[in-house]
Amino acid sequence: MPETPAAPAAPAVHPIPDRHGQNLYSVDTELQSLLALYLPEDLLRHLRPHLERLGGLAGGRLDELASTADRNPPTLKQRTRTGLDEQQVIKHPAYVEMERLALSEFGLAAISHRDETLGWKGRMPPLVKYALTYLFVQAEFGLCCPVSMTDSLTRTLKKFGAPALVQKYLPRLTSLDFDELAQGAMFMTEQAAGSDIAATATLARREADGSWRLTGDKWFCSNPDADFAMVLARAEDGMAGMKGVSLFLLPRRLDDGRLNHYRIIRLKDKLGTRSMASGEIRLEGALAFLVGEEGRGFVQMADMVNNSRLSNGVRAAGLMRRAVAEAEYIAAERQAFGRTLDRMPLMQRQLDKLRVPAEQARTMVCQTALALARSDAGEADAYALLRILTPLIKFRACRDARKVTGDAMEVRGGCGYIEEWSDPRLVRDAHLGSIWEGTSNIVALDVIRAVKREGSLPVLRAHCEKLIAEAEPAPAFAQALRDALARAAALAETAAREGGDVLARQAASALYHCTSASAMAWEAAHTGSAARLRWSQLALLHRVLPRDPLAPDALPAGWTAA
């Protein structure tokens, strides 16, 4: 009899791990635990299907759209084919579909301003918006800038705008109808002004009918074709310096449907956020409406900027989570030298160094969102707490994202350097956070400004002391947290004194690390997460306390003793 041929060998598992298609919410057990801690049970139960849907999109279809939009950035069209001078930013269909998902289906820009969203009747706490954004940004970062600016513009208009102005424009800013809803932007930056708002040169001229006309150039305007923009300008007869700057609402189109009198001069060729248009604007007598009190533009715009800074921190946290999750997946699936990478001690240490800043940022998102809700409700000391937490997360999380995304790319090896994968896009996008809405120096100085002007330091310290007390960690670790917090507060006090500005970044980092370590210990106690307690300890050990770089390091034995 002829010999029966052997059955073909089963194909080997493909050696290049690809996480595409995972549900980014379902696999994130830490996020699920944190939301159960920070959100009311009935609200979270209602939200779970929406979180699951967005998590599935972010791990699949949305990730594909983001990659396509990144490779096909927007272009500026100057005229119609019949010769009409009608400027238009041409967006790739992939980007337009992401706009529909973010602004219409999930209502990310309107959710904080509606009494019903995603089928939930009643105003939702800020953390809902940030949790959804946290998932969305793991796939697409660029669009989250217009989403944040629309949300922040709406908040500022409601807070400072004249009732007639609010009544006229709020419905479009809070609509979920994709054909009707409006997007927002803020045009502040000028070639000579930058972060120095007092140097604003754009002029505002009051007309006989009470309207205003704006003239001047704005140098860096993201979402330049937005339906509405908040603009800083100086009244022609106003005071010099900061007190002469006022805030204006600039519509893209006039009531008769014609374009307003300003032009997009060109679009920027950016390192990252390539899916989203940024451009230069020339105001040529553009119609605008005064928002709030004349001469207090910076104070009023600061509310919008602070809201955007918090969003920047949320987006940095989301980028880090995506980068870390990709690295963890590769390490668990990739085999080398007879075992998976995550079984190798050096890789385990490398992953920990990625996880700690990513989890610190996630915790600070939750803590700051909670402070925002309390501040908006008028609770005592809540504004002072929010006022310091916001620049802290904007400063430190955005800087950490640059390193975490870069180091996570290395875990994938050579493939991580290839544009087919998400890693290069994450690295490019991560550099935005520490530049826009205030560079690191500006935001660190804002931390010190909160200490000096808002009395935020004792409020932050009391908040952390409460978290430590309720966490009830091992006595030695609790004492280490308290001692570090006291030293960080003392450093911040020194930075707040005359000539102390040079310490601003050092003090801001110290406060951030101590606050996040205390909060992670509190979260660990309430969720039962041993990993979260360990990350809290590693944050204190590696990012705050002095270490001998020539000696092996390990957690102090007393930190884990009962």
Side-chain angles (χ1 to χ4, degrees), residues 24-225:
L24 303 193
Y25 175 74
S26 299
V27 300
D28 193 346
T29 55
E30 285 292 326
L31 177 60
Q32 294 171 37
S33 296
L34 289 177
L35 293 181
L37 174 62
Y38 283 97
L39 289 176
E41 184 179 354
D42 57 341
L43 175 56
L44 181 57
R45 190 184 314 114
H46 176 86
L47 285 171
R48 279 197 185 103
H50 302 287
L51 293 163
E52 290 278 357
R53 171 159 167 70
L54 183 52
L57 285 167
R61 176 64 177 149
L62 183 57
D63 197 41
E64 294 167 2
L65 292 169
S67 180
T68 299
D70 184 70
R71 293 194 303 270
N72 296 275
T75 58
L76 180 61
K77 184 179 180 181
Q78 296 288 357
R79 288 186 166 196
T80 69
R81 66 181 182 179
T82 63
L84 293 177
D85 191 11
E86 289 257 340
Q87 284 190 320
Q88 184 182 5
V89 174
I90 306 298
K91 305 169 183 176
H92 191 275
Y95 185 84
V96 176
E97 174 60 12
M98 292 193 296
E99 287 181 310
R100 188 194 67 77
L101 287 168
L103 298 166
S104 180
E105 182 167 339
F106 289 97
L108 296 184
I111 196 169
S112 291
H113 312 289
R114 293 175 55 88
D115 291 325
E116 181 178 349
T117 315
L118 299 175
W120 177 263
K121 295 188 183 299
R123 195 65 57 88
M124 288 201 232
L127 183 56
V128 173
K129 169 183 63 185
Y130 293 131
L132 291 166
T133 301
Y134 180 82
L135 286 171
F136 194 98
V137 79
Q138 290 181 51
E140 164 60 12
F141 185 92
L143 175 60
C144 288
C145 177
V147 167
S148 168
M149 290 192 297
T150 304
D151 172 40
S152 300
L153 180 145
T154 305
R155 175 184 172 92
T156 301
L157 179 63
K158 287 165 57 181
K159 189 169 183 177
F160 298 109
L165 202 61
V166 175
Q167 184 178 12
K168 183 176 182 179
Y169 293 122
L170 188 63
R172 286 193 63 201
L173 289 164
T174 57
S175 174
L176 300 182
D177 183 333
F178 191 57
D179 295 325
E180 174 65 23
L181 63 81
Q183 293 189 38
M186 54 181 175
F187 301 164
M188 290 195 306
T189 308
E190 299 179 8
Q191 289 178 332
S195 298
D196 184 7
I197 301 301
T200 296
T202 299
L203 291 179
R205 183 183 72 253
R206 192 200 302 265
E207 300 291 289
D209 62 1
S211 64
W212 293 81
R213 297 284 177 172
L214 306 185
T215 304
D217 282 13
K218 293 295 184 179
W219 179 241
F220 212 113
C221 306
S222 288
N223 210 21
D225 63 336

Side-chain angles (χ1 to χ4, degrees), residues 310-388:
L310 172 52
S311 176
N312 252 304
V314 174
R315 285 176 269 159
L319 286 181
M320 284 192 277
R321 168 59 195 169
R322 171 68 187 271
V324 172
E326 291 286 332
E328 289 175 332
Y329 183 83
I330 296 158
E333 298 292 326
R334 175 79 164 168
Q335 296 232 2
F337 312 109
R339 52 182 172 164
T340 56
L341 301 183
D342 64 355
R343 301 291 299 276
M344 301 177 180
L346 198 55
M347 177 59 74
Q348 291 170 351
R349 180 182 174 87
Q350 184 178 357
L351 290 175
D352 269 340
K353 292 177 74 173
L354 298 175
R355 290 178 183 123
V356 169
E359 294 300 333
Q360 284 180 274
R362 175 145 60 177
T363 287
M364 291 294 277
V365 166
C366 295
Q367 288 286 311
T368 312
L370 204 63
L372 175 59
R374 291 177 51 217
S375 176
D376 285 348
E379 290 187 27
D381 290 336
Y383 175 75
L385 181 61
L386 174 67
R387 182 63 186 81
I388 195 168

